Amino acid sequence: MIPASFEYKRARSVKAAIELLADGNAKVLSGGHSLVPALKLRLNQPEMLVDIARIASLKGIKVSGKELVIGSTTTHQEIASSDIVKEHLSILAEGAGAIGDVQVRNKGTLGGSLAHADPSADWPALVLVSNAKVVLEGSGGERTLNAADFFTGFFSTALASDEIITEIRFPIPAKGTKSTYQKFVQPASRFALVGCAAMREPSGETRVAFSGVADAAFRDTGIENAISGKTLTAENINHAVSDTAKGQDIMSDHYASEEYRVHLAKVFAKRALMALA
Amino acid sequence: MSNRYIGKSIKRVEDKRFITGKGKYTDDMVLPQQTYAHIVRSPYAHALVKKIDISAALAIEGVVAVFTGDDIRNAGINGVPCGWQVNFKDGTTMKEPSHPLLVGTGDTIKHLGDAVAVVIAEDRNIAADAADAVEVDYEVKNAISNPFEAVQAGATPVHPEVAPNNIAFDWTLGNPRDEVDAAIAASHHVTTLDFINQRVIPNAIEPRVAIGHYDTTSEKYTLYTSTQNPHLIRLMMSAFVLGIPEHKVRVVGPDVGGGFGSKIFHYTEEALVVWASKQIERPVKWTSERSEAFMTDAHGRDHVTKAEMGFDKDGNVMALRVKTYANLGAYLSLFAPAVPTYLHGTLLQGLYTTPKINIDLVGVFTHTNAVDAYRGAGRPEATYLLERLMDLGALEMGMDPADLRFRNFIPPFDGVTQPGYQTQVALQYDSGNYEGVLKRGLEMLDYKGFREDQKEALKNGKLLGVGFSTYVEACGIAPSAVVGSLGARAGLYESAQVRVQPTGKVSVYTGSHSHGQGHETTFVQIVADKFGIPMEDVELIHGDSDTVAFGMGTYGSRSLAVGGSAIMKSIDKILEKGAKIAAHKLEANIDDLEFNEGKWTVKGTDKSISFGDVSLTAYVPHVYPEGLEPGLDFSSFYDPANFTYPFGCHIAVVEIDPETGKVKLKRFLAVDDVGNVINPMIVDGQIHGGLAQGIGQALFEGAIYDDNGQLINGSYMDYCMPRADDLPMFEIDRTVTPCPHNPLGVKGAGEAGCIGSTPAVVNAVIDALWSGGHQVKDILMPLTPERVWRAMQ
Ligand SMILES: Cc1cc2nc3c(=O)[nH]c(=O)nc-3n(C[C@H](O)[C@H](O)[C@H](O)COP(=O)(O)OP(=O)(O)OC[C@H]3O[C@@H](n4cnc5c(N)ncnc54)[C@H](O)[C@@H]3O)c2cc1C
């Protein structure tokens, strides 16, 4: 549990951080709640850590036009307890509040979770279901990606090694939109064995995203197409979830086999949709 | 005598330092010139060590030394021996492979985490880096981790020379097997269970730590170690492993952050740091990492069992037949052979009048970490086996599980006016009132009400279940002659010295070792009351072989029953001598004195002398009885007359989510009888902790070794410990049936919670499933949601 030695630099600005990253084998340090355990197990041995946690411009929650904008180093706890978040996009507060325990929520950050892209983390399903955009900045400048394009697979993202996530922009849904996050925990880690995020707009448009089920979080378009615009009756819901997670690369471990995971995904999709009815 | 403390929930005096972060643990110690050790461990379970190259590690700046298994071999150091010998049924000696401190070139790795080399450096970081730089060339071989598979023909042997068939011993106990076979055959109904009592990992919050310090001037060795058992470590390490003189060795077990059994044993790392310290003439500290703790702290349980219980048509138990394969791991840890045999087979009478019982057991080597005593040690396995059979038998026969128990209970006996109960499996229970605890449990549960709720719940698609477990256990180990005849290589008495200082303040030296049990409070309560003095005037000293005469450590719920009794003996000697001094000073006849509230009084008069005055007189013996030695200081050794036998009734109520299989523990009730109680709050705490561990085994915990002997859940990301929010508020109560054979009438409370609770939870899940029409007999523990869900498919 002793990491290999590394250099530690605290960046004062995004620009400074990017310059340090351009140097080579460096990693961004935010809340440290995924990176530090990996360092201690020597799964990761960077030469330098660039601490971005104190860059003021990366922190905070605000409304900008039709978007809710959350800085990447904002902690899970700040999001879970934010009145602005609860008012405009309560599913984020609900989901953030379901992460780990108090210590983890007080240190862990939204940007860190997205960059880490643990398939069992809660945030990926939440950003997918809310159609968020991830803003990145690197030596090549700034770019904005749809959440769906940001995640590229098992623990992997579109992030380049000299880029950092600066903020996440969530479209504020229409008034009357309903949402829910339903999580079934892996009992040891309390990450999601299945995390199902669901949103339904007054128009009937429905989005469903999963964490924990497949090698990366995903939107379940099968369910979405089957239920969008239809009334949320038990019969319609049962029908819509019958092919849950179809085509996905389902994970399997000693807590949940592939078959059981898919079963759970169905159960939680059903529960989530029932909760929106 | 006074009645101020005994029986009262006095707050724990040790908690002030613990909850303010001031406890002093081994890792808090920094000795001048201290170096840091990091152990190079095998990432494979079974491999030939072909070459160990330490040159790159030695070249790193700050590395002081690197020792390998070759150095240990060349130094002629023995392996760590086992402390208990269980021979084969036919008399053949137990197979006892050597357990080397480090594995050398040409030798074989026997389990994941087996040690090859130790790197010693100026700080922990350098040591860790240098350990990474040690290059070991392994030839990886097939590994075996399941004890049943390990004894099949053609299985890979763990110790080809010593035990080619992987069997360490076989063993039987009880009535002749053929009589039991006949009784089973003649039974009206036989309930059969094939099950695994899975391996669990102790997970003390403080990982093991050891500092070896050889002092070149005095030529004394000191070992500071996170242990439950300092004196035995000293004896084993000096006499059997390192061959150094015992009087030149001091072992200190300072504050210890939990052990649960795993810190009873003498571990290789302890001898290694002591030996290494002599080589480099500097102190050497080793601190286990959490992943090392998962891999190398002795594990618990791991039985593969077939058990059959025969009933007559009225539900009377007629016979019990058991076959068990007990996984011992790769090496025999200190008490490993005793746990599945004398702490398990001997408990198979349970609290029932079963007339015919036989267990046939095989102790098996596998390529896994050693298995040894873990909270309850053998008795949880016995209780699990019996109590699962009772509840399942009731379900199969359509009888009520509580009624079935009442029908089969041994009737109450106090061990004083009525004799103890002689079991079919060697033990004689001291005293018991088994109906009492179940009656109380049913009352607290509102059993009738529960069965109605259960029916009602089912109508709403909910699965509710109740599970019972009534247990008896054996603790306060143990009469030395008895355990000696059963293969123990040590006696299991305890020592205590009570030293009254001239000012009447008292220092108590005990061989028991407190590592969470609160001895600094309970033992002091006893001494203070017996002398009629304030608790503040009494200090408990433990854990240091230089100050405490001798000790057999703390485990097997023995501290109060055995260590406390030793203290009582010394107290009696002090009071006897004190009375002589008092009589002399008061110019009275000793028979006319009474001792009360801290003073000797001449009966019927107001002439008295205080405990403090008598103490001073003992050390300033100017006016003093002729021929009496000065001083007021007595040592005693207490060897118990019998085990003690706590018992109790645990009841679990669960609800299963039929869609996910998730089990919610809704209620947990425990009525335990641990004999007399010195501090109810501390006993409650011991019960609570034990319940959490027992429930943990049922629902959450379990080590998983894969086919290559890899531990696939060796971290808290994957190995699930029970947490506060997994548990309901426990509903606990007690009955009191004093132990008839020790001076305090106490039985022991450290393990009861862990012994009784596991089967109650599993039984409740099975009951819930049967209520919903799923007639499953068994689900492999831990009862994860998927396993329960599968049971319903
Ligand atoms: C005990 C425990 C329980 C947990 N339980 C849960 C849970 O239930 N659900 C859950 O979702 N998560 C859980 N987590 C993970 C937790 O949420 C982490 O905090 C989160 O995954 C990572 O955020 P961080 O700020 O700590 O990132 P860090 O650990 O600092 O970094 C993680 C990775 O992201 C990179 N990175 C960080 N910030 C940025 C950025 N702005 N731009 C680019 N790259 C960046 C780092 O270089 C690193 O590779 C748990 C963690 C622990 C220790």
PDB file of all heavy atoms in Angstrom, chain A residues 1 42 186-188 190 255-257 259-260 263 270-271, chain B residues 129 132 289 657 659-660 717-718 723 725 786 789-790:
ATOM      1  N   MET A   1       0.822  -1.203   0.000  1.00  0.00           N
ATOM      2  CA  MET A   1       0.000   0.000   0.000  1.00  0.00           C
ATOM      3  C   MET A   1       0.857   1.255   0.000  1.00  0.00           C
ATOM      4  O   MET A   1       0.468   2.278   0.495  1.00  0.00           O
ATOM      5  CB  MET A   1      -0.913   0.006   1.227  1.00  0.00           C
ATOM      6  CG  MET A   1      -1.866  -1.157   1.275  1.00  0.00           C
ATOM      7  SD  MET A   1      -2.845  -1.250  -0.212  1.00  0.00           S
ATOM      8  CE  MET A   1      -4.153  -2.306   0.301  1.00  0.00           C
ATOM      9  N   ARG A  42       0.051   0.304  -6.738  1.00  0.00           N
ATOM     10  CA  ARG A  42       1.058   0.408  -7.802  1.00  0.00           C
ATOM     11  C   ARG A  42       0.499  -0.037  -9.167  1.00  0.00           C
ATOM     12  O   ARG A  42       1.234  -0.530 -10.018  1.00  0.00           O
ATOM     13  CB  ARG A  42       2.326  -0.378  -7.446  1.00  0.00           C
ATOM     14  CG  ARG A  42       2.986   0.174  -6.179  1.00  0.00           C
ATOM     15  CD  ARG A  42       4.395  -0.319  -5.957  1.00  0.00           C
ATOM     16  NE  ARG A  42       5.004   0.426  -4.846  1.00  0.00           N
ATOM     17  CZ  ARG A  42       6.295   0.721  -4.731  1.00  0.00           C
ATOM     18  NH1 ARG A  42       7.154   0.316  -5.625  1.00  0.00           N
ATOM     19  NH2 ARG A  42       6.738   1.420  -3.706  1.00  0.00           N
ATOM     20  N   GLN A 186     -23.249  -3.102  -5.104  1.00  0.00           N
ATOM     21  CA  GLN A 186     -22.337  -4.210  -4.849  1.00  0.00           C
ATOM     22  C   GLN A 186     -22.029  -4.081  -3.366  1.00  0.00           C
ATOM     23  O   GLN A 186     -21.604  -3.023  -2.902  1.00  0.00           O
ATOM     24  CB  GLN A 186     -21.076  -4.020  -5.721  1.00  0.00           C
ATOM     25  CG  GLN A 186     -20.172  -5.223  -5.800  1.00  0.00           C
ATOM     26  CD  GLN A 186     -19.003  -5.132  -4.838  1.00  0.00           C
ATOM     27  OE1 GLN A 186     -19.183  -4.792  -3.677  1.00  0.00           O
ATOM     28  NE2 GLN A 186     -17.813  -5.443  -5.300  1.00  0.00           N
ATOM     29  N   PRO A 187     -22.290  -5.145  -2.578  1.00  0.00           N
ATOM     30  CA  PRO A 187     -22.273  -4.941  -1.134  1.00  0.00           C
ATOM     31  C   PRO A 187     -20.922  -4.527  -0.557  1.00  0.00           C
ATOM     32  O   PRO A 187     -20.888  -3.812   0.443  1.00  0.00           O
ATOM     33  CB  PRO A 187     -22.714  -6.296  -0.567  1.00  0.00           C
ATOM     34  CG  PRO A 187     -22.841  -7.231  -1.704  1.00  0.00           C
ATOM     35  CD  PRO A 187     -22.749  -6.471  -2.980  1.00  0.00           C
ATOM     36  N   ALA A 188     -19.822  -4.942  -1.148  1.00  0.00           N
ATOM     37  CA  ALA A 188     -18.520  -4.590  -0.572  1.00  0.00           C
ATOM     38  C   ALA A 188     -18.127  -3.164  -0.937  1.00  0.00           C
ATOM     39  O   ALA A 188     -17.869  -2.341  -0.071  1.00  0.00           O
ATOM     40  CB  ALA A 188     -17.457  -5.571  -1.049  1.00  0.00           C
ATOM     41  N   ARG A 190     -19.927  -0.945  -2.641  1.00  0.00           N
ATOM     42  CA  ARG A 190     -21.098  -0.057  -2.726  1.00  0.00           C
ATOM     43  C   ARG A 190     -21.115   0.783  -4.004  1.00  0.00           C
ATOM     44  O   ARG A 190     -21.822   1.777  -4.094  1.00  0.00           O
ATOM     45  CB  ARG A 190     -21.223   0.824  -1.481  1.00  0.00           C
ATOM     46  CG  ARG A 190     -21.275   0.012  -0.193  1.00  0.00           C
ATOM     47  CD  ARG A 190     -22.600   0.180   0.507  1.00  0.00           C
ATOM     48  NE  ARG A 190     -22.698  -0.720   1.644  1.00  0.00           N
ATOM     49  CZ  ARG A 190     -23.083  -0.342   2.862  1.00  0.00           C
ATOM     50  NH1 ARG A 190     -23.407   0.900   3.114  1.00  0.00           N
ATOM     51  NH2 ARG A 190     -23.191  -1.222   3.830  1.00  0.00           N
ATOM     52  N   TYR A 255     -20.153 -11.243  -7.566  1.00  0.00           N
ATOM     53  CA  TYR A 255     -21.391 -10.708  -6.994  1.00  0.00           C
ATOM     54  C   TYR A 255     -22.562 -10.803  -7.974  1.00  0.00           C
ATOM     55  O   TYR A 255     -23.708 -10.831  -7.550  1.00  0.00           O
ATOM     56  CB  TYR A 255     -21.209  -9.258  -6.546  1.00  0.00           C
ATOM     57  CG  TYR A 255     -20.499  -9.166  -5.220  1.00  0.00           C
ATOM     58  CD1 TYR A 255     -19.208  -8.696  -5.122  1.00  0.00           C
ATOM     59  CD2 TYR A 255     -21.138  -9.609  -4.051  1.00  0.00           C
ATOM     60  CE1 TYR A 255     -18.554  -8.644  -3.890  1.00  0.00           C
ATOM     61  CE2 TYR A 255     -20.500  -9.570  -2.831  1.00  0.00           C
ATOM     62  CZ  TYR A 255     -19.209  -9.088  -2.749  1.00  0.00           C
ATOM     63  OH  TYR A 255     -18.573  -9.048  -1.544  1.00  0.00           O
ATOM     64  N   ALA A 256     -22.268 -10.800  -9.253  1.00  0.00           N
ATOM     65  CA  ALA A 256     -23.362 -10.868 -10.211  1.00  0.00           C
ATOM     66  C   ALA A 256     -22.869 -11.446 -11.527  1.00  0.00           C
ATOM     67  O   ALA A 256     -21.988 -10.877 -12.177  1.00  0.00           O
ATOM     68  CB  ALA A 256     -23.955  -9.475 -10.442  1.00  0.00           C
ATOM     69  N   SER A 257     -23.441 -12.577 -11.885  1.00  0.00           N
ATOM     70  CA  SER A 257     -23.132 -13.168 -13.183  1.00  0.00           C
ATOM     71  C   SER A 257     -23.803 -12.317 -14.261  1.00  0.00           C
ATOM     72  O   SER A 257     -24.604 -11.430 -13.968  1.00  0.00           O
ATOM     73  CB  SER A 257     -23.705 -14.582 -13.234  1.00  0.00           C
ATOM     74  OG  SER A 257     -25.128 -14.494 -13.158  1.00  0.00           O
ATOM     75  N   GLU A 259     -26.074 -13.231 -16.377  1.00  0.00           N
ATOM     76  CA  GLU A 259     -27.520 -13.463 -16.399  1.00  0.00           C
ATOM     77  C   GLU A 259     -28.222 -12.650 -15.310  1.00  0.00           C
ATOM     78  O   GLU A 259     -29.255 -12.020 -15.529  1.00  0.00           O
ATOM     79  CB  GLU A 259     -27.777 -14.966 -16.185  1.00  0.00           C
ATOM     80  CG  GLU A 259     -29.231 -15.348 -16.249  1.00  0.00           C
ATOM     81  CD  GLU A 259     -29.493 -16.770 -15.730  1.00  0.00           C
ATOM     82  OE1 GLU A 259     -28.524 -17.428 -15.285  1.00  0.00           O
ATOM     83  OE2 GLU A 259     -30.657 -17.183 -15.756  1.00  0.00           O
ATOM     84  N   TYR A 260     -27.626 -12.678 -14.116  1.00  0.00           N
ATOM     85  CA  TYR A 260     -28.245 -11.984 -12.996  1.00  0.00           C
ATOM     86  C   TYR A 260     -28.192 -10.470 -13.195  1.00  0.00           C
ATOM     87  O   TYR A 260     -29.130  -9.750 -12.876  1.00  0.00           O
ATOM     88  CB  TYR A 260     -27.530 -12.393 -11.704  1.00  0.00           C
ATOM     89  CG  TYR A 260     -28.064 -11.736 -10.452  1.00  0.00           C
ATOM     90  CD1 TYR A 260     -29.377 -11.960 -10.026  1.00  0.00           C
ATOM     91  CD2 TYR A 260     -27.249 -10.914  -9.676  1.00  0.00           C
ATOM     92  CE1 TYR A 260     -29.863 -11.368  -8.865  1.00  0.00           C
ATOM     93  CE2 TYR A 260     -27.715 -10.328  -8.516  1.00  0.00           C
ATOM     94  CZ  TYR A 260     -29.028 -10.555  -8.110  1.00  0.00           C
ATOM     95  OH  TYR A 260     -29.499  -9.981  -6.967  1.00  0.00           O
ATOM     96  N   HIS A 263     -30.877  -9.519 -15.462  1.00  0.00           N
ATOM     97  CA  HIS A 263     -32.139  -9.602 -14.719  1.00  0.00           C
ATOM     98  C   HIS A 263     -32.321  -8.373 -13.834  1.00  0.00           C
ATOM     99  O   HIS A 263     -33.387  -7.750 -13.813  1.00  0.00           O
ATOM    100  CB  HIS A 263     -32.160 -10.887 -13.883  1.00  0.00           C
ATOM    101  CG  HIS A 263     -33.233 -10.908 -12.844  1.00  0.00           C
ATOM    102  ND1 HIS A 263     -34.556 -11.130 -13.147  1.00  0.00           N
ATOM    103  CD2 HIS A 263     -33.180 -10.678 -11.508  1.00  0.00           C
ATOM    104  CE1 HIS A 263     -35.276 -11.041 -12.040  1.00  0.00           C
ATOM    105  NE2 HIS A 263     -34.463 -10.774 -11.032  1.00  0.00           N
ATOM    106  N   LYS A 270     -37.579  -1.345 -14.666  1.00  0.00           N
ATOM    107  CA  LYS A 270     -39.015  -1.383 -14.382  1.00  0.00           C
ATOM    108  C   LYS A 270     -39.352  -0.491 -13.187  1.00  0.00           C
ATOM    109  O   LYS A 270     -40.272   0.316 -13.228  1.00  0.00           O
ATOM    110  CB  LYS A 270     -39.407  -2.846 -14.096  1.00  0.00           C
ATOM    111  CG  LYS A 270     -40.883  -3.108 -14.148  1.00  0.00           C
ATOM    112  CD  LYS A 270     -41.169  -4.598 -13.977  1.00  0.00           C
ATOM    113  CE  LYS A 270     -40.955  -5.004 -12.540  1.00  0.00           C
ATOM    114  NZ  LYS A 270     -41.100  -6.445 -12.295  1.00  0.00           N
ATOM    115  N   ARG A 271     -38.552  -0.646 -12.142  1.00  0.00           N
ATOM    116  CA  ARG A 271     -38.813   0.165 -10.949  1.00  0.00           C
ATOM    117  C   ARG A 271     -38.663   1.656 -11.244  1.00  0.00           C
ATOM    118  O   ARG A 271     -39.414   2.493 -10.740  1.00  0.00           O
ATOM    119  CB  ARG A 271     -37.879  -0.239  -9.814  1.00  0.00           C
ATOM    120  CG  ARG A 271     -38.239  -1.603  -9.246  1.00  0.00           C
ATOM    121  CD  ARG A 271     -37.357  -1.998  -8.075  1.00  0.00           C
ATOM    122  NE  ARG A 271     -37.717  -3.352  -7.643  1.00  0.00           N
ATOM    123  CZ  ARG A 271     -37.110  -4.013  -6.669  1.00  0.00           C
ATOM    124  NH1 ARG A 271     -36.112  -3.451  -6.002  1.00  0.00           N
ATOM    125  NH2 ARG A 271     -37.498  -5.237  -6.340  1.00  0.00           N
TER     126      ARG A 271
ATOM    127  N   ASP B 129      10.004   0.043  -2.652  1.00  0.00           N
ATOM    128  CA  ASP B 129      10.591   0.116  -3.993  1.00  0.00           C
ATOM    129  C   ASP B 129      11.579  -1.033  -4.208  1.00  0.00           C
ATOM    130  O   ASP B 129      11.596  -1.678  -5.261  1.00  0.00           O
ATOM    131  CB  ASP B 129      11.347   1.445  -4.181  1.00  0.00           C
ATOM    132  CG  ASP B 129      10.390   2.616  -4.378  1.00  0.00           C
ATOM    133  OD1 ASP B 129       9.190   2.360  -4.611  1.00  0.00           O
ATOM    134  OD2 ASP B 129      10.851   3.773  -4.303  1.00  0.00           O
ATOM    135  N   ASP B 132      10.097  -4.369  -4.840  1.00  0.00           N
ATOM    136  CA  ASP B 132       9.698  -4.486  -6.246  1.00  0.00           C
ATOM    137  C   ASP B 132      10.879  -4.880  -7.129  1.00  0.00           C
ATOM    138  O   ASP B 132      10.693  -5.477  -8.187  1.00  0.00           O
ATOM    139  CB  ASP B 132       9.165  -3.132  -6.745  1.00  0.00           C
ATOM    140  CG  ASP B 132       7.651  -3.048  -6.661  1.00  0.00           C
ATOM    141  OD1 ASP B 132       7.050  -4.017  -6.138  1.00  0.00           O
ATOM    142  OD2 ASP B 132       7.089  -2.028  -7.100  1.00  0.00           O
ATOM    143  N   GLU B 289       0.699  -4.635   5.210  1.00  0.00           N
ATOM    144  CA  GLU B 289      -0.259  -3.879   4.409  1.00  0.00           C
ATOM    145  C   GLU B 289      -1.593  -4.603   4.471  1.00  0.00           C
ATOM    146  O   GLU B 289      -1.652  -5.778   4.813  1.00  0.00           O
ATOM    147  CB  GLU B 289       0.216  -3.812   2.952  1.00  0.00           C
ATOM    148  CG  GLU B 289       1.598  -3.198   2.843  1.00  0.00           C
ATOM    149  CD  GLU B 289       1.970  -2.850   1.413  1.00  0.00           C
ATOM    150  OE1 GLU B 289       1.388  -3.448   0.496  1.00  0.00           O
ATOM    151  OE2 GLU B 289       2.815  -1.970   1.239  1.00  0.00           O
ATOM    152  N   ASP B 657     -36.322  -9.705  -0.868  1.00  0.00           N
ATOM    153  CA  ASP B 657     -36.901  -9.054  -2.032  1.00  0.00           C
ATOM    154  C   ASP B 657     -36.969 -10.121  -3.124  1.00  0.00           C
ATOM    155  O   ASP B 657     -35.938 -10.563  -3.631  1.00  0.00           O
ATOM    156  CB  ASP B 657     -36.006  -7.886  -2.454  1.00  0.00           C
ATOM    157  CG  ASP B 657     -36.496  -7.211  -3.737  1.00  0.00           C
ATOM    158  OD1 ASP B 657     -37.381  -7.781  -4.412  1.00  0.00           O
ATOM    159  OD2 ASP B 657     -35.974  -6.132  -4.056  1.00  0.00           O
ATOM    160  N   GLU B 659     -37.689 -10.128  -6.147  1.00  0.00           N
ATOM    161  CA  GLU B 659     -37.189  -9.791  -7.493  1.00  0.00           C
ATOM    162  C   GLU B 659     -35.668  -9.799  -7.574  1.00  0.00           C
ATOM    163  O   GLU B 659     -35.102 -10.150  -8.602  1.00  0.00           O
ATOM    164  CB  GLU B 659     -37.698  -8.407  -7.908  1.00  0.00           C
ATOM    165  CG  GLU B 659     -39.127  -8.445  -8.410  1.00  0.00           C
ATOM    166  CD  GLU B 659     -39.535  -7.106  -8.997  1.00  0.00           C
ATOM    167  OE1 GLU B 659     -39.230  -6.056  -8.395  1.00  0.00           O
ATOM    168  OE2 GLU B 659     -40.152  -7.109 -10.060  1.00  0.00           O
ATOM    169  N   THR B 660     -35.010  -9.383  -6.497  1.00  0.00           N
ATOM    170  CA  THR B 660     -33.542  -9.288  -6.554  1.00  0.00           C
ATOM    171  C   THR B 660     -32.848 -10.350  -5.716  1.00  0.00           C
ATOM    172  O   THR B 660     -31.648 -10.571  -5.869  1.00  0.00           O
ATOM    173  CB  THR B 660     -33.066  -7.926  -6.015  1.00  0.00           C
ATOM    174  OG1 THR B 660     -33.446  -7.827  -4.636  1.00  0.00           O
ATOM    175  CG2 THR B 660     -33.674  -6.781  -6.790  1.00  0.00           C
ATOM    176  N   MET B 717     -12.772  -3.674  -1.666  1.00  0.00           N
ATOM    177  CA  MET B 717     -13.621  -3.457  -2.828  1.00  0.00           C
ATOM    178  C   MET B 717     -14.453  -4.710  -3.112  1.00  0.00           C
ATOM    179  O   MET B 717     -15.522  -4.627  -3.703  1.00  0.00           O
ATOM    180  CB  MET B 717     -12.769  -3.157  -4.070  1.00  0.00           C
ATOM    181  CG  MET B 717     -12.137  -1.791  -4.063  1.00  0.00           C
ATOM    182  SD  MET B 717     -13.367  -0.483  -4.157  1.00  0.00           S
ATOM    183  CE  MET B 717     -13.723  -0.497  -5.916  1.00  0.00           C
ATOM    184  N   ASP B 718     -13.905  -5.866  -2.720  1.00  0.00           N
ATOM    185  CA  ASP B 718     -14.556  -7.123  -3.091  1.00  0.00           C
ATOM    186  C   ASP B 718     -14.955  -7.983  -1.902  1.00  0.00           C
ATOM    187  O   ASP B 718     -15.866  -8.792  -2.000  1.00  0.00           O
ATOM    188  CB  ASP B 718     -13.612  -7.945  -3.981  1.00  0.00           C
ATOM    189  CG  ASP B 718     -13.379  -7.272  -5.305  1.00  0.00           C
ATOM    190  OD1 ASP B 718     -14.370  -6.972  -5.986  1.00  0.00           O
ATOM    191  OD2 ASP B 718     -12.211  -7.008  -5.633  1.00  0.00           O
ATOM    192  N   ARG B 723     -21.495  -3.762   7.767  1.00  0.00           N
ATOM    193  CA  ARG B 723     -21.430  -2.380   8.238  1.00  0.00           C
ATOM    194  C   ARG B 723     -22.672  -2.050   9.054  1.00  0.00           C
ATOM    195  O   ARG B 723     -23.681  -2.746   8.970  1.00  0.00           O
ATOM    196  CB  ARG B 723     -21.324  -1.442   7.040  1.00  0.00           C
ATOM    197  CG  ARG B 723     -19.897  -1.388   6.514  1.00  0.00           C
ATOM    198  CD  ARG B 723     -19.824  -0.674   5.188  1.00  0.00           C
ATOM    199  NE  ARG B 723     -19.615  -1.647   4.139  1.00  0.00           N
ATOM    200  CZ  ARG B 723     -19.256  -1.331   2.895  1.00  0.00           C
ATOM    201  NH1 ARG B 723     -19.109  -0.093   2.534  1.00  0.00           N
ATOM    202  NH2 ARG B 723     -19.062  -2.284   2.001  1.00  0.00           N
ATOM    203  N   ASP B 725     -25.036  -0.044   8.849  1.00  0.00           N
ATOM    204  CA  ASP B 725     -26.348   0.095   8.202  1.00  0.00           C
ATOM    205  C   ASP B 725     -26.846  -1.207   7.576  1.00  0.00           C
ATOM    206  O   ASP B 725     -27.940  -1.244   7.021  1.00  0.00           O
ATOM    207  CB  ASP B 725     -26.342   1.248   7.188  1.00  0.00           C
ATOM    208  CG  ASP B 725     -25.410   0.992   6.019  1.00  0.00           C
ATOM    209  OD1 ASP B 725     -24.640   0.017   6.063  1.00  0.00           O
ATOM    210  OD2 ASP B 725     -25.443   1.781   5.052  1.00  0.00           O
ATOM    211  N   GLU B 786     -27.612 -12.699  -5.494  1.00  0.00           N
ATOM    212  CA  GLU B 786     -27.715 -13.612  -6.635  1.00  0.00           C
ATOM    213  C   GLU B 786     -27.970 -15.044  -6.181  1.00  0.00           C
ATOM    214  O   GLU B 786     -28.779 -15.758  -6.775  1.00  0.00           O
ATOM    215  CB  GLU B 786     -26.448 -13.566  -7.510  1.00  0.00           C
ATOM    216  CG  GLU B 786     -26.522 -14.639  -8.599  1.00  0.00           C
ATOM    217  CD  GLU B 786     -25.633 -14.418  -9.802  1.00  0.00           C
ATOM    218  OE1 GLU B 786     -24.762 -13.545  -9.756  1.00  0.00           O
ATOM    219  OE2 GLU B 786     -25.849 -15.126 -10.806  1.00  0.00           O
ATOM    220  N   TRP B 789     -31.528 -15.333  -5.144  1.00  0.00           N
ATOM    221  CA  TRP B 789     -32.380 -15.234  -6.331  1.00  0.00           C
ATOM    222  C   TRP B 789     -32.370 -16.559  -7.105  1.00  0.00           C
ATOM    223  O   TRP B 789     -33.406 -17.082  -7.511  1.00  0.00           O
ATOM    224  CB  TRP B 789     -31.865 -14.080  -7.199  1.00  0.00           C
ATOM    225  CG  TRP B 789     -32.584 -13.929  -8.515  1.00  0.00           C
ATOM    226  CD1 TRP B 789     -33.823 -13.407  -8.719  1.00  0.00           C
ATOM    227  CD2 TRP B 789     -32.081 -14.322  -9.804  1.00  0.00           C
ATOM    228  NE1 TRP B 789     -34.131 -13.441 -10.060  1.00  0.00           N
ATOM    229  CE2 TRP B 789     -33.081 -13.991 -10.748  1.00  0.00           C
ATOM    230  CE3 TRP B 789     -30.891 -14.896 -10.254  1.00  0.00           C
ATOM    231  CZ2 TRP B 789     -32.921 -14.222 -12.123  1.00  0.00           C
ATOM    232  CZ3 TRP B 789     -30.731 -15.127 -11.605  1.00  0.00           C
ATOM    233  CH2 TRP B 789     -31.737 -14.797 -12.525  1.00  0.00           C
ATOM    234  N   ARG B 790     -31.165 -17.133  -7.260  1.00  0.00           N
ATOM    235  CA  ARG B 790     -31.062 -18.416  -7.981  1.00  0.00           C
ATOM    236  C   ARG B 790     -31.851 -19.505  -7.278  1.00  0.00           C
ATOM    237  O   ARG B 790     -32.466 -20.361  -7.913  1.00  0.00           O
ATOM    238  CB  ARG B 790     -29.602 -18.852  -8.112  1.00  0.00           C
ATOM    239  CG  ARG B 790     -28.859 -18.040  -9.120  1.00  0.00           C
ATOM    240  CD  ARG B 790     -27.685 -18.743  -9.768  1.00  0.00           C
ATOM    241  NE  ARG B 790     -27.134 -17.836 -10.763  1.00  0.00           N
ATOM    242  CZ  ARG B 790     -27.577 -17.722 -12.010  1.00  0.00           C
ATOM    243  NH1 ARG B 790     -28.538 -18.514 -12.459  1.00  0.00           N
ATOM    244  NH2 ARG B 790     -27.082 -16.838 -12.835  1.00  0.00           N
TER     245      ARG B 790
END
